[in-house]
Amino acid sequence: MVKVSAANLENIFIRYDIKVEQEATPEDVFNEMAPEEEPWRTITQKLVFLEDVTDEVEKALNKHEPEDVINKGLIPGMDINGELYARGIYYLPQLILAGDAMGKGIELCEDAMASKGRTREAKGKVVMHAAEGDPHDIGKDIAAAMLKAQGYQIIDMGRDVPVEDVVDAVKKENPDVVTGTALMTTTQTAFPRVAKRLQEEGIDVPFIGAGGAVNQSFVHRFPMGIYADEAADGPSICEAVKEGKTWEEIREEYDEIVPSAA
Amino acid sequence: MAKYTEMAYDDAEEMVFGEAKEPVTYGHGPQITAGGGQVFGVTKIAPRPGAEARPEKLKTEFRKITKTILQRAVTLGFPTQEIENEWVHQMGENPVEYAQEPAIAQQAAIAEEFADEYGIATATTHTIPDLRVSEKGLRHGQDRESYYPEKVIGSFEIAAENGADVLKIESSGGMELADYGIQRGDIKAFLFGIGYLGSIDMEWLWSQIVDIAQKNNVIPGGDTNCPAANTAMFIAGGYLDQDIARTFSAITRAICAGRTIVAWEQGATGPDKDCGYEGPIVKAIAGKPTVMEGKDCSVAHADLMGNLAAQVCDGWSNESAEFHEEFSGWSSGTWAEAVGYEVSLMNTAKELGEDKTLRDIYMASDRYRSPESYIIAYDNAYKIGEAMVEEGDSYYRRSKAAAIKAAELIEDAQEQGKLQLSAHEKDTLEKVVTDLRALPEDEDKFVEECLNEYGDLPKFNPKNYGL
């Protein structure tokens, strides 16, 4: 074998990610952003450091309204995780694990609300699926976790979902946004079929199309289609929809709205 | 079937591109001999979205793809040209209508025509789509809704009977656990999914594929862990990505080698599937030919080992590129050219007796670019292979041994200051090592623990694996 050490590797490649590495720690960001008041601080702390929040949420529900537990404890915790991700301190697994913990907390709060005859008002509702014929759904699952973390209600239809089932789910659930993911060039052709059927049903709903072989020119070719390059684009697009922007407007202002476009 | 308990090569230094201990010959004209002394080029192009609308349309698409690849190869004087088809979903769903004539028979005829007219060695490889979905059932009789297990096996039969030279698949057993593990940085879930369940699924699948191939006198090539380890690599991405740590992705690669080699243990002969970055590890163990991809797959993803991937390949390939027009012609031709010139470089090095020098330059250029390139640098791939064969009799223990060896190699290189790791990569590696070392020695105990821990995951059904 050649003597690899004879080469000056700095002339060959540069670890740019290490050069720009953040010195801030999760503790720093937690201290910057966490609520001071208890029990919200402890709930937030548990979420940020990826621990089970069940005990803290149960205790909090004895004294506080479930809506407050969500809005003052759980959501601030996920906001901090979002900031840690944005700063390059946290990675995807931390977001997913925090999302798992938050999900358990939300479930307890929703049960408490149900016992009082109330239901939770989510930020918005999203119907998600992997295209008919496509068994690859890790992208959908990641996107779903990111949307859930932002407070959206997710109707997850799974993978290899027939076009008609998607249309039926949209009719039944009346979501703010529908999403489809595909890994293969020819399974993404289910997207325009979904869009066509929705049009025939008189439904106009933003339809995020994404996945491995999917590109913007394909998705923006059919009505309602909005392209997302990364799972992390989902919340920004849904936010724009909740602000009242139509799919045409989102396409028009795509570079300003969608983070990965920049 | 016997499992590998010793290495095919006495030493890592023996391994070089274009040569395998057990060469395989197939195809038209002078024929391709994978691992027989020359590297061969493999070009892979996906039909445009919409081409699958009708079988006739798909047939036209495949005719153009095939002809434009072979025309470019002849135009530039390449001695060999393999064409690989990764079947689209519709072909697997309805192989008689969408695959039999449009892709298999037509392509075989064109490949033969070019071989007859110009004397170029040609071959067609068919990669059958693994349509199976764990929720519906992975084995015969379990999926009464879509009949995917039956359709997958039926597709192999149709490909073998109608002109395919080589059969391959990117099988997906254990993916449901792997996806869960990748998203949460849970190496135990990945090891259970791919190292154990995936290996069991490979036995089921490959024993049937080998039978079909032997019955029809075609080559049962091999598999790769594209749906899991490549997914991890894809998500880990390059230096700007922060989805999962590259140290985690590298360990998943070592684990998946234990699964991929099951195809060969079941009687497949190679060459294996081109996007199998575990190729150097399994080649070191089995000595069968391997096809690889690196820089020429940039159209699909960034892999941080564009050159290194070529170090010990027998076939060199691109990744599925969409069929469309470029300035110089169809994308099929442009990728055939890019792949073909790389192959020419390797074969020129062989003619000049400088192949091991080029091998080392390919390897050195990316050796420390990422943890994954580091562990499949051929000397390290060999060490991982050695760790695996020591535990060869147990799917679980050999995948775990591969993972631990890969982790140790990364740790050592990092401690020596050669392999740079980001804080996140270091933290993840530390957690992975801790998790791996906490695992039981005994396979039954491991399986019992995993069934308790992951048994309730919605997509996981132990019956898919006979458990």
Side-chain angles (χ1 to χ4, degrees):
Chain A
M1 189 195 294
V2 292
K3 282 186 186 166
V4 181
S5 56
N8 180 358
L9 295 176
E10 286 180 13
N11 290 331
I12 297 167
F13 65 89
I14 300 166
R15 283 296 299 260
Y16 293 108
D17 55 336
I18 292 175
K19 276 180 172 272
V20 299
E21 221 163 10
Q22 293 280 334
E23 285 183 10
T25 63
E27 287 80 3
D28 295 335
V29 179
F30 173 77
N31 288 327
E32 263 174 47
M33 293 178 65
E36 294 293 334
E37 198 185 335
E38 291 292 358
W40 317 129
R41 189 174 179 84
T42 305
I43 292 175
T44 304
Q45 188 177 23
K46 293 273 175 190
L47 273 187
V48 171
F49 297 101
L50 315 175
E51 294 170 26
D52 188 3
V53 293
T54 310
D55 288 350
E56 279 64 30
V57 168
E58 278 173 348
K59 274 187 229 161
L61 285 170
N62 290 330
K63 292 185 185 172
H64 301 275
E65 290 298 325
E67 288 85 347
D68 285 344
V69 177
I70 293 174
N71 295 326
K72 294 180 179 176
L74 295 171
I75 287 179
M78 293 310 287
D79 285 345
I80 296 172
N81 285 326
E83 180 65 19
L84 284 164
Y85 182 74
R87 290 200 206 176
I89 302 166
Y90 266 6
Y91 277 49
L92 176 69
Q94 282 97 339
L95 288 191
I96 301 275
L97 290 168
D100 288 349
M102 170 151 160
K104 285 185 193 166
I106 294 274
E107 209 172 300
L108 290 170
C109 295
E110 284 176 342
D111 289 347
M113 276 185 251
S115 69
K116 297 176 184 190
R118 306 200 297 262
T119 51
R120 179 180 165 228
E121 198 172 322
K123 207 168 182 178
K125 191 193 273 189
V126 185
V127 166
M128 306 184 80
H129 79 287
E132 183 171 343
D134 210 313
H136 307 92
D137 63 349
I138 190 170
K140 170 188 65 69
D141 289 349
I142 293 169
M146 290 190 167
L147 286 167
K148 269 187 209 164
Q150 293 295 315
Y152 289 91
Q153 182 192 354
I154 303 302
I155 310 295
D156 187 344
M157 300 192 66
R159 47 186 167 166
D160 186 15
V161 183
V163 167
E164 282 308 315
D165 290 3
V166 180
V167 175
D168 289 345
V170 172
K171 280 161 71 180
K172 182 180 164 217
E173 300 288 347
N174 189 26
D176 298 288
V177 174
V178 59
T179 80
T181 51
L183 186 70
M184 298 141 99
T185 53
T186 58
T187 53
Q188 65 183 299
T189 55
F191 297 165
R193 289 191 282 134
V194 168
K196 186 167 178 279
R197 283 286 299 117
L198 290 172
Q199 268 192 326
E200 285 167 3
E201 296 287 337
I203 298 168
D204 189 76
V205 59
F207 178 10
I208 300 177
V214 180
N215 60 41
Q216 192 189 65
S217 67
F218 179 80
V219 176
H220 288 191
R221 220 181 284 160
F222 55 84
M224 302 177 227
I226 301 169
Y227 175 65
D229 190 31
E230 294 177 6
D233 294 338
S236 306
I237 298 171
C238 290
E239 195 69 35
V241 172
K242 291 303 291 177
E243 283 169 12
K245 289 189 189 298
T246 63
W247 56 267
E248 292 98 331
E249 287 167 336
I250 294 172
R251 280 191 197 176
E252 190 71 29
E253 299 165 34
Y254 188 83
D255 287 359
E256 283 71 46
I257 292 169
V258 180
S260 67
Chain B
M1 288 281 183
K3 298 186 178 79
Y4 286 105
T5 53
E6 54 186 50
M7 304 292 282
Y9 293 89
D10 295 330
D11 189 273
E13 181 60 27
E14 269 189 80
M15 295 166 68
V16 67
F17 51 76
E19 290 171 40
K21 291 271 185 184
E22 295 181 29
V24 179
T25 300
Y26 55 86
H28 307 281
Q31 293 192 299
I32 289 171
T33 302
Q38 273 211 333
V39 179
F40 59 98
V42 182
T43 307
K44 192 168 54 179
I45 301 293
R48 286 166 285 191
E52 80 290 351
R54 287 177 290 113
E56 298 75 22
K57 209 172 170 188
L58 200 60
K59 185 176 175 183
T60 305
E61 190 86 340
F62 276 123
R63 186 179 69 245
K64 285 184 185 170
I65 288 171
T66 311
K67 284 200 163 182
T68 48
I69 289 171
L70 291 171
Q71 279 162 355
R72 186 73 67 113
V74 170
T75 296
L76 300 174
F78 299 150
T80 57
Q81 180 64 60
E82 185 166 314
I83 296 161
E84 188 190 344
N85 296 296
E86 286 185 347
W87 285 20
V88 298
H89 172 83
Q90 292 78 3
M91 293 161 74
E93 178 69 49
N94 187 352
V96 174
E97 291 289 316
Y98 283 83
Q100 189 168 310
E101 177 53 34
I104 311 163
Q106 178 185 225
Q107 283 196 323
I110 297 170
E112 193 164 4
E113 277 167 30
F114 272 78
D116 288 348
E117 187 167 357
Y118 300 104
I120 182 173
T122 61
T124 57
T125 287
H126 288 268
T127 294
I128 306 303
D130 192 354
L131 307 176
R132 298 174 303 154
V133 174
S134 54
E135 304 90 297
K136 294 180 181 176
L138 297 182
R139 293 188 176 187
H140 293 323
Q142 291 179 338
D143 176 359
R144 310 310 290 177
E145 180 192 335
S146 303
Y147 298 92
Y148 285 149
E150 290 80 2
K151 285 178 181 171
V152 170
I153 299 300
S155 293
F156 277 105
E157 283 169 349
I158 286 169
E161 288 163 4
N162 289 280
D165 294 304
V166 187
L167 304 176
K168 298 182 183 178
I169 188 169
E170 299 172 345
S171 69
S172 63
M175 183 172 82
E176 65 278 27
L177 267 297
D179 282 355
Y180 177 89
I182 290 167
Q183 289 175 63
R184 288 162 180 81
D186 184 343
I187 203 69
K188 184 178 178 182
F190 192 95
L191 181 58
F192 182 50
I194 299 306
Y196 186 72
L197 301 177
S199 296
I200 292 173
D201 185 61
M202 288 279 285
E203 266 186 22
W204 180 84
L205 193 58
W206 273 95
S207 57
Q208 296 178 79
I209 299 169
V210 169
D211 281 351
I212 292 166
Q214 287 174 345
K215 199 169 63 187
N216 292 281
N217 200 26
V218 304
I219 303 294
D223 210 312
T224 174
N225 194 220
C226 187
N230 285 14
T231 296
M233 176 178 71
F234 181 84
I235 295 176
Y239 298 155
L240 279 175
D241 297 289
Q242 55 164 113
D243 285 331
I244 68 163
R246 280 171 287 276
T247 39
F248 185 87
S249 156
I251 309 296
T252 66
R253 180 68 59 197
I255 289 170
C256 84
R259 185 215 74 115
T260 293
I261 205 165
V262 176
W264 289 351
E265 288 174 333
Q266 290 296 318
T269 61
D272 61 358
K273 176 69 189 148
D274 63 294
C275 55
Y277 289 76
E278 62 272 34
I281 304 173
V282 293
K283 180 175 178 176
I285 295 171
K288 293 183 181 179
T290 188
V291 183
M292 295 289 293
E293 61 182 37
K295 57 191 152 194
D296 293 319
C297 72
S298 58
V299 69
H301 58 79
D303 67 17
L304 290 170
M305 53 189 126
N307 292 319
L308 183 143
Q311 58 184 350
V312 295
C313 74
D314 298 292
W316 182 246
S317 178
N318 65 331
E319 177 57 282
S320 269
E322 189 181 298
F323 188 55
H324 60 242
E325 285 177 292
E326 305 282 5
F327 287 140
S328 73
W330 292 96
S331 58
S332 42
T334 64
W335 285 107
E337 177 168 348
V339 165
Y341 275 118
E342 197 63 34
V343 168
S344 295
L345 176 65
M346 290 186 241
N347 288 334
T348 304
K350 293 193 93 65
E351 291 297 321
L352 296 171
E354 299 290 350
D355 49 352
K356 289 193 175 175
T357 305
L358 180 60
R359 171 198 68 183
D360 286 354
I361 294 170
Y362 276 138
M363 183 276 291
S365 78
D366 298 328
R367 183 178 179 85
Y368 296 111
R369 197 178 295 269
S370 78
E372 186 152 17
S373 52
Y374 184 71
I375 65 142
I376 66 160
Y378 65 90
D379 54 327
N380 291 328
Y382 189 87
K383 289 174 189 160
I384 291 169
E386 284 182 308
M388 280 173 58
V389 296
E390 273 184 35
E391 301 285 355
D393 282 338
S394 157
Y395 289 143
Y396 159 59
R397 286 202 311 278
R398 77 180 181 189
S399 291
K400 179 182 148 197
I404 289 174
K405 174 55 75 179
E408 286 170 354
L409 289 166
I410 296 167
E411 280 181 326
D412 289 349
Q414 196 253 328
E415 278 164 19
Q416 289 164 20
K418 290 177 177 169
L419 180 66
Q420 295 181 71
L421 299 180
S422 67
H424 182 66
E425 287 172 331
K426 282 183 209 166
D427 290 347
T428 304
L429 182 63
E430 201 175 305
K431 181 179 180 305
V432 166
V433 169
T434 305
D435 291 351
L436 286 171
R437 292 199 172 130
L439 294 173
E441 211 25 51
D442 181 67
E443 183 170 293
D444 291 341
K445 198 173 170 201
F446 171 73
V447 174
E448 192 188 331
E449 271 184 25
C450 289
L451 288 173
N452 286 334
E453 199 169 339
Y454 307 113
D456 291 337
L457 294 184
K459 296 177 198 168
F460 174 46
N461 181 359
K463 285 183 185 160
N464 284 330
Y465 307 96
L467 298 176

